[in-house]
Amino acid sequence: MAGASVSAGEGERLLEELVRSAQQASPAELPTVLERYAEAMGMGRAVIYLADLQQRLLLPLVEGEPDREVDASLAGWAYRTNSLRMEEDASGGLTIWLPLVDGAERLGVLELRMETLDGIKLSRCRTMASLLAMIVTSKRTYSDIFAQRMRTRPMQLHTEMLRAFLPPRSIGTGRVVSTAVLEPAYGLGGDAFDHSFTEDFLHATILDGMGHDLASGLATSVAMAGCRNARRTGADLAELVDAVDQALTKWLPDQFCTGIFTQLHMPTGVLHWSNCGHPAPLLIRGQRLLDKALEQDSEPPLGLPASPAGGSRQVHEASLEPGDRILLYTDGVVESRDEGGEQFGLERFTDYIIRSTAAGQNAPEVLRLLIHAILGHRHNELSDDATILMIEWQPPGQ
């Protein structure tokens, strides 16, 4: 059946059956449902691979298939570039790798093995990959199977708690992409990020809790919950930051955290932000860092007993240009030191992003490469949490 032709009507019916069966299947049953559909469509063998937490490996959802290295395989090439990759095997058959992407979030890849390929079958393969990405996204919110498969070692308790609050690594529309990475993946202390859309606004936040234990993770989690609660009740940026401050002061008076809260008006590129004891956001424009473009006097950290003067946090404003990239980061990024005591540094940090972008890497891939470079600087042992969030504003028509 792998080389047989399927009519348009039969193909449509089988696709509807795949969607219906996949929705009703448990996550453990999903590979069987996929295999049955792929065989009926003449696509042969089909395997879902998911990226591990550190985006170094692509791990098969079923046992018996080998892991694939993101940086050294055709499967990894498809993942890194968000594009199709195909190769011919020794018997003359084809192996096709398709990225599994939900919006801007890269989940993994789909492997398909078949005897022949034409334009109609390729279109169906692409449609299947798109549907599977959405199905995996919906099912991983309530299943431990995906979380277990995406881990390569045990996770610490405080990291488990904090990661439960994190959104997808990347979100995006036709106007903007927000993407983030954070390490150590399995021993994260108090760092976190958040991003979300409301109507015409992108909201993005980065937080750094005091310490590296359960208490610091709890403080950051409360800050994230306070941020979301205020955002969902329509608070403006100053009110949102005040709500987070009050939540920490009330519920965790012995804890504090630093952070930056931003709102980007996507149609116009007007950016508002409030900096609470955190490294200033950075602006990259035209392949260069605009020195101190977004540097303003910082407000006190969140959760301190003394309220800021005037009772409300200061909010700043700037207008972006198409293609601008905003960087939010925690101090563990630039303060990471190698064995000789040399810091990774701000210049190396921004230069890496500029060069990777100039080389044509997409925004999530830029940060994946960067966080691996930071880890390599420390031989994969960070002394502090390192978190980066990048916003790329590119309105349609530019």
Side-chain angles (χ1 to χ4, degrees):
M1 185 67 181
S5 175
V6 178
S7 67
E10 180 68 2
E12 184 176 329
R13 184 192 67 79
L14 288 170
L15 189 60
E16 292 176 355
E17 182 180 316
L18 169 66
V19 174
R20 182 172 60 253
S21 299
Q23 288 176 335
Q24 296 172 352
S26 71
E29 296 168 334
L30 183 59
T32 302
V33 170
L34 171 61
E35 187 75 15
R36 186 170 63 244
Y37 168 79
E39 183 178 355
M41 288 291 292
M43 296 176 180
R45 177 80 166 149
V47 181
I48 293 173
Y49 285 78
L50 300 176
D52 78 306
L53 287 182
Q54 295 181 297
Q55 301 183 83
R56 294 185 183 277
L57 294 173
L58 292 165
L59 307 171
L61 200 54
V62 294
E63 295 184 1
E65 298 290 338
D67 299 344
R68 311 285 181 170
E69 293 185 20
V70 172
D71 290 313
S73 68
L74 293 178
W77 191 93
Y79 177 82
R80 299 192 311 268
T81 61
N82 282 346
S83 57
L84 176 147
R85 188 70 170 175
M86 180 167 53
E87 64 176 337
E88 186 175 356
D89 59 35
S91 63
L94 297 174
T95 300
I96 300 172
W97 300 95
L98 288 160
L100 294 176
V101 183
D102 185 19
E105 175 73 340
R106 305 186 300 177
L107 304 174
V109 297
L110 173 65
E111 179 191 21
L112 295 167
R113 303 171 195 166
M114 60 190 70
E115 295 176 7
T116 62
L117 180 67
D118 57 27
I120 294 175
K121 190 181 291 186
L122 178 58
S123 177
R124 289 169 177 167
C125 291
R126 292 185 186 277
T127 301
M128 182 169 64
S130 297
L131 288 171
L132 284 172
M134 290 187 284
I135 290 168
V136 169
T137 296
S138 67
K139 290 185 180 296
R140 69 176 179 172
T141 59
Y142 62 84
S143 171
D144 286 342
I145 288 178
F146 296 111
Q148 290 172 332
R149 197 66 196 101
M150 294 167 66
R151 298 181 183 184
T152 58
R153 60 180 182 270
M155 181 175 290
Q156 296 184 15
L157 173 62
H158 56 276
T159 306
E160 190 78 61
M161 177 186 68
L162 194 52
R163 275 198 172 275
F165 278 87
L166 294 180
R169 273 190 297 255
S170 304
I171 62 174
T173 70
R175 294 171 175 163
V176 66
V177 171
S178 177
T179 184
V181 289
L182 71 174
E183 286 284 351
Y186 298 90
L188 189 68
D191 275 18
F193 68 91
D194 193 23
H195 44 202
S196 180
F197 294 115
T198 59
E199 296 183 1
D200 286 333
F201 287 91
L202 165 69
H203 305 259
T205 301
I206 195 166
L207 297 163
D208 186 356
M210 175 189 69
H212 301 88
D213 53 19
L214 189 64
S216 61
L218 182 59
T220 302
S221 299
V222 169
M224 290 179 70
C227 175
R228 290 172 181 174
N229 183 253
R231 188 174 68 222
R232 292 164 184 172
T233 56
D236 63 26
L237 193 56
E239 293 168 339
L240 183 149
V241 179
D242 288 343
V244 173
D245 205 6
Q246 293 168 19
L248 284 171
T249 302
K250 178 179 180 179
W251 298 109
L252 297 170
D254 296 328
Q255 295 291 318
F256 70 89
C257 69
T258 66
I260 295 182
F261 302 81
T262 70
Q263 289 181 351
L264 174 64
H265 187 239
M266 293 182 290
T268 63
V270 173
L271 176 73
H272 290 93
W273 77 97
S274 181
N275 185 354
C276 303
H278 205 75
L282 304 175
L283 173 59
I284 294 179
R285 175 178 294 163
Q287 306 304 325
R288 68 185 184 93
L289 173 68
L290 298 190
D291 188 39
K292 299 182 179 180
L294 303 180
E295 190 167 318
Q296 301 285 349
D297 291 338
S298 176
E299 298 284 318
L302 300 149
L304 294 181
S307 299
S312 184
R313 302 284 182 161
Q314 188 174 5
V315 174
H316 310 287
E317 178 181 319
S319 294
L320 302 186
E321 295 182 3
D324 279 357
R325 294 184 297 283
I326 305 298
L327 295 173
L328 311 180
Y329 65 98
T330 59
D331 50 14
V333 171
V334 296
E335 294 177 3
S336 172
R337 296 179 182 272
D338 62 15
E339 293 174 340
E342 181 185 0
Q343 288 189 343
F344 192 80
L346 185 62
E347 182 178 353
R348 191 179 329 202
F349 167 48
T350 54
D351 183 61
Y352 203 100
I353 290 178
I354 290 170
R355 288 188 290 107
S356 297
T357 303
Q361 307 288 0
N362 58 59
E365 181 64 10
V366 168
L367 290 199
R368 188 190 76 90
L369 293 170
L370 174 58
I371 199 68
H372 289 173
I374 294 169
L375 284 168
H377 188 71
R378 281 284 303 179
H379 301 287
N380 294 321
E381 292 293 336
L382 295 178
S383 59
D384 193 6
D385 295 347
T387 303
I388 312 165
L389 184 145
M390 181 167 69
I391 301 168
E392 187 175 75
W393 184 60
Q394 188 69 266
Q398 300 297 325

